[in-house]
Amino acid sequence: MAKFIVKGPFKVPVEVYGRGRKDIDEERIGELLKECATFGKKGCYVFSIQAGRGSKPLYVGKTSRQTIIREAFNNRNMRRVVRKLNKQDKGTLLIWTITQDGGRRPPIKMIGEIEKMLIPWAAEKNPDLINDHHTKKSDDWSIEGVVGPKRGPRGKTANDFRKMIGISGQTQSVSARSRSSQISSPSSMPTESLNRPLPANSR
C-alpha cells in the first residue's frame, strides 16, 4: 500500500517592488529544497495564500517527471501564481507538498489521481482557483488524515491542509479501487511554522 505524506506549509520567498507589486524571488527558491527534502521528489503540490487566520488554495499541481521544486516554479506557474498574488490586498504565499513516504518512486497514475481528487475541493473553497480542469469530485479516494475514514490520529499538518483546501468535516465515500493508496500526516511529523522566517539568503 502506497502512503503519501502532506508537508507544509512553507513560505515562498517573495520580493515587494514599487507600489507594492509582488513577485517570487527566483534566486531564493532553492532555499525551499534546503528546508525540506520533499521538494526534490515527485508528487503533488498546492500553492495557497494566508491572510490572518484564513487560508485558501490558489493552484493544485502535480509532477511525475521533474521534481516538485522544478515543476511548481516553472515560468508558466510562477506567472499565474504571481498574477493571483497581486490581486490580493494582503497575504503570505505558501506551498504544500504531497509525496510518497520513503524513497520509492510513486506510480505516475497515482500522482494524477491525487491531483484530480484535490482540485474539486480547492475549487469549492476558492472559485477563483487557477485550475480549470478536474473540477468534478471523485468518490474513489481515502486520504489518511485529510479525506475519508479516519485512520489513526490526525496531525496538525493534515488539519491545516483540510482547512486550506476547503474540506469540510464531512468525509467522502471510499470505493475498494482506491484503498490501495493513502495520504497521511502523522502527528509526529514536524509542521513548518507560518511565523518562522525563511533561511537567510545564501547568495
Side-chain angles (χ1 to χ4, degrees):
M1 178 183 291
K3 183 172 74 171
F4 287 74
I5 302 292
V6 176
K7 287 194 175 182
F10 305 91
K11 286 183 179 179
V12 176
V14 170
E15 288 184 313
V16 181
Y17 298 95
R19 298 184 180 180
R21 182 181 175 277
K22 300 175 183 177
D23 200 357
I24 294 174
D25 188 344
E26 296 185 46
E27 295 189 20
R28 294 175 58 204
I29 290 174
E31 295 173 4
L32 291 170
L33 186 57
K34 296 177 182 178
E35 190 172 358
C36 186
T38 58
F39 284 100
K41 296 183 177 183
K42 298 174 177 61
C44 294
Y45 57 93
V46 179
F47 281 103
S48 65
I49 187 81
Q50 173 147 352
R53 295 185 178 182
S55 181
K56 65 180 180 181
L58 292 181
Y59 180 71
V60 179
K62 68 173 182 179
T63 174
S64 55
R65 297 181 180 179
Q66 302 187 86
T67 61
I68 288 177
I69 199 164
R70 285 183 176 274
E71 174 67 23
F73 294 98
N74 63 35
N75 289 334
R76 181 169 179 263
N77 284 345
M78 284 199 297
R79 284 197 303 269
R80 295 191 295 179
V81 169
V82 166
R83 189 179 302 120
K84 295 291 184 182
L85 180 64
N86 280 297
K87 288 184 178 181
Q88 309 291 321
D89 292 332
K90 58 182 178 179
T92 301
L93 182 62
L94 307 171
I95 187 170
W96 310 68
T97 65
I98 304 169
T99 57
Q100 187 172 3
D101 192 19
R104 291 176 296 178
R105 182 177 180 177
I108 294 176
K109 180 180 178 181
M110 199 171 294
I111 293 175
E113 288 178 346
I114 291 172
E115 182 200 37
K116 289 179 183 179
M117 174 65 196
L118 295 176
I119 289 175
W121 290 110
E124 274 196 8
K125 178 69 179 289
N126 180 14
D128 197 31
L129 189 74
I130 293 173
N131 300 81
D132 57 5
H133 61 291
H134 304 320
T135 55
K136 182 179 179 181
K137 282 188 178 179
S138 169
D139 292 326
D140 296 335
W141 275 87
S142 171
I143 303 178
E144 186 174 276
V146 179
V147 176
K150 185 177 179 181
R151 300 177 183 177
R154 180 181 293 161
K156 183 179 184 302
T157 299
N159 278 324
D160 290 346
F161 186 82
R162 282 171 59 88
K163 293 176 183 178
M164 180 279 300
I165 208 74
I167 300 176
S168 66
Q170 299 297 319
T171 57
Q172 205 173 2
S173 60
V174 185
S175 72
R177 181 178 69 83
S178 61
R179 287 186 178 128
S180 61
S181 61
Q182 61 184 116
I183 297 178
S184 67
S185 180
S187 298
S188 59
M189 188 185 72
T191 303
E192 307 305 321
S193 171
L194 296 179
N195 297 319
R196 189 181 70 189
L198 284 168
N201 194 339
S202 57
R203 287 178 286 179

